[in-house]
Amino acid sequence: MEFTQFHPTTLYHPKGHNFLISESVRGEGAVITDTRGRPFMHKYHEKKDLAPRDIVTRAILNELLESGDKFVLLDLSPIGKENIPKRFPNIYKTCLQLDIDISESPIPIVPAFHFSCGGVMTDIHGRTNIERLFAAGEVACTGLHGANRLASTSLLEAMVFGRIISDYTIANKDFYYGFKFPEVRDWIDTGIIDIIDPALIKQDWTYLQNIMWNYVGPVRSKKRLQRALIDLRNLQEDIENFYRDAKMDRKMVELRNAIQTGAVVAEHAWTNRDSLGAHYRID
Ligand SMILES: Cc1cc2nc3c(=O)[nH]c(=O)nc-3n(C[C@H](O)[C@H](O)[C@H](O)COP(=O)(O)OP(=O)(O)OC[C@H]3O[C@@H](n4cnc5c(N)ncnc54)[C@H](O)[C@@H]3O)c2cc1C
């Protein structure tokens, strides 16, 4: 679960419009620069802007740390003003809607979380350790991606494993079809029910996101992970207490699941001291 891939080039926008700027833009010649227009990737890797995702991500974060800026720039001018709308119509249109004309000016970018290589462990048939529960797609850990994912392989993985699972259940249909789930008991109303305060849920999400980004993000260390584990345990304790006394609600369940998932990622990152693929520790 510690193998979490970050994408180096996501649109930075004050109103928080998340939008991924494809790597193919750099493939066509776009260059990452600081806010003064100075390229910096040559300092980090011989392939410069075409270095692997994790290296570009860390380079950007390092530059941001040194400069104190909130974003760096992706300069598309080497592609040629007239080619940009033709080669990248979606990126061009989306940015234009946000008042950024990428044929005239560079795109403000920051790295962002992108893909989880780990997940629910499956075997080659997509089976998990819970009978009749299969997993396919990003939620699954089939082992296909190893410690880092190659671009454009996750949709393929989801389709391939979806097909494998379908074939497997059809081949074993006597076991898998016609199964009836045990009846779920009704909610027991104890009378001591907390009202879920949306402000608290929102704040907990922000807190969780900050913990994960700052301490379990692209650059990890013993101290950062230690802090993450302490903060996540506190958050987990709070939410568990709240969870017991509050009436089930989708937002609440999602928050609880997210905290649990974050804690598993942090624990695995803590345990694994070797930097490999999408898991990077400075110590
Ligand atoms: C910006 C971006 C660009 C990408 N580009 C590429 C690319 O070019 N090529 C590539 O191969 N991969 C790409 N990826 C990765 C790829 O898109 C994802 O890995 C893939 O879409 C995951 O598919 P999935 O069906 O496993 O999960 P999801 O697409 O996340 O689907 C899970 C679904 O489950 C639903 N769900 C969640 N909880 C519940 C619940 N409790 N009950 C019922 N439903 C629930 C969700 O609403 C969602 O619809 C990209 C990812 C991002 C973020």
Side-chain angles (χ1 to χ4, degrees):
M1 287 293 283
E2 70 272 36
F3 299 110
T4 48
Q5 189 176 74
F6 295 86
H7 199 288
T9 58
T10 313
L11 174 69
Y12 172 86
H13 194 275
K15 288 193 180 143
H17 297 278
N18 290 332
F19 180 64
L20 192 133
I21 313 294
S22 161
E23 255 138 5
S24 52
V25 176
R26 274 176 288 136
E28 295 270 329
V31 175
I32 303 173
T33 74
D34 63 17
T35 48
R36 293 196 206 163
R38 294 176 302 199
F40 54 80
M41 274 313 299
H42 59 278
K43 291 192 275 176
Y44 298 92
H45 198 273
E46 59 192 16
K47 288 194 169 167
K48 300 180 194 165
D49 296 88
L50 299 180
R53 279 179 182 172
D54 49 328
I55 291 172
V56 181
T57 295
R58 287 198 296 274
I60 293 174
L61 292 178
N62 195 47
E63 292 290 319
L64 293 179
L65 201 66
E66 281 179 7
S67 65
D69 287 335
K70 290 201 164 97
F71 55 85
V72 292
L73 297 171
L74 185 60
D75 176 12
L76 279 72
S77 61
I79 300 172
K81 191 178 165 172
E82 61 292 348
N83 296 329
I84 294 169
K86 283 185 241 150
R87 290 292 298 116
F88 303 104
N90 276 341
I91 300 175
Y92 177 73
K93 267 187 234 150
T94 308
C95 288
L96 207 54
Q97 280 161 8
L98 297 167
D99 293 329
I100 305 167
D101 182 348
I102 64 171
S103 65
E104 296 289 347
S105 52
I107 312 175
I109 50 155
V110 283
F113 171 71
H114 187 55
F115 182 83
S116 171
C117 297
V120 181
M121 195 89 107
T122 75
D123 66 7
I124 194 71
H125 304 295
R127 291 183 302 186
T128 67
N129 64 350
I130 297 178
E131 210 159 73
R132 295 187 175 86
L133 181 71
F134 291 80
E138 190 161 340
V139 75
C141 179
T142 61
L144 189 135
H145 300 297
N148 211 348
R149 177 183 76 104
L150 290 174
S152 293
T153 52
S154 61
L155 295 176
L156 193 60
E157 183 203 25
M159 284 195 294
V160 168
F161 271 85
R163 176 65 192 261
I164 288 175
I165 292 169
S166 150
D167 288 348
Y168 184 81
T169 51
I170 290 168
N172 297 281
K173 60 176 183 297
D174 291 347
F175 185 71
Y176 288 107
Y177 287 68
F179 174 75
K180 290 219 164 32
F181 284 101
E183 228 169 82
V184 179
R185 276 189 7 209
D186 282 343
W187 171 264
I188 301 168
D189 191 344
T190 58
I192 40 162
I193 286 175
D194 259 354
I195 306 289
I196 295 170
D197 181 348
L200 292 182
I201 300 272
K202 191 164 175 256
Q203 172 56 26
D204 282 349
W205 266 110
T206 309
Y207 185 33
L208 174 65
Q209 284 164 345
N210 285 337
I211 296 171
M212 295 310 288
W213 181 256
N214 292 324
Y215 309 140
V216 201
V219 179
R220 298 159 179 175
S221 71
K222 187 178 165 191
K223 285 209 167 128
R224 290 182 193 186
L225 292 166
Q226 206 164 25
R227 176 76 74 85
L229 288 170
I230 294 168
D231 289 359
L232 285 166
R233 267 180 216 131
N234 289 338
L235 200 51
Q236 223 167 359
E237 212 175 287
D238 282 355
I239 204 78
E240 282 304 321
N241 289 335
F242 199 33
Y243 189 78
R244 268 185 222 115
D245 291 337
K247 198 157 190 166
M248 279 313 96
D249 160 287
R250 181 178 169 156
K251 286 192 173 144
M252 179 82 180
V253 175
E254 284 178 351
L255 175 63
R256 180 177 179 252
N257 291 349
I259 295 169
Q260 279 185 342
T261 309
V264 175
V265 174
E267 272 162 30
H268 288 196
W270 165 263
T271 318
N272 187 353
R273 292 181 185 179
D274 298 325
S275 293
L276 182 68
H279 171 56
Y280 180 77
R281 285 187 58 157
I282 33 174
D283 51 357

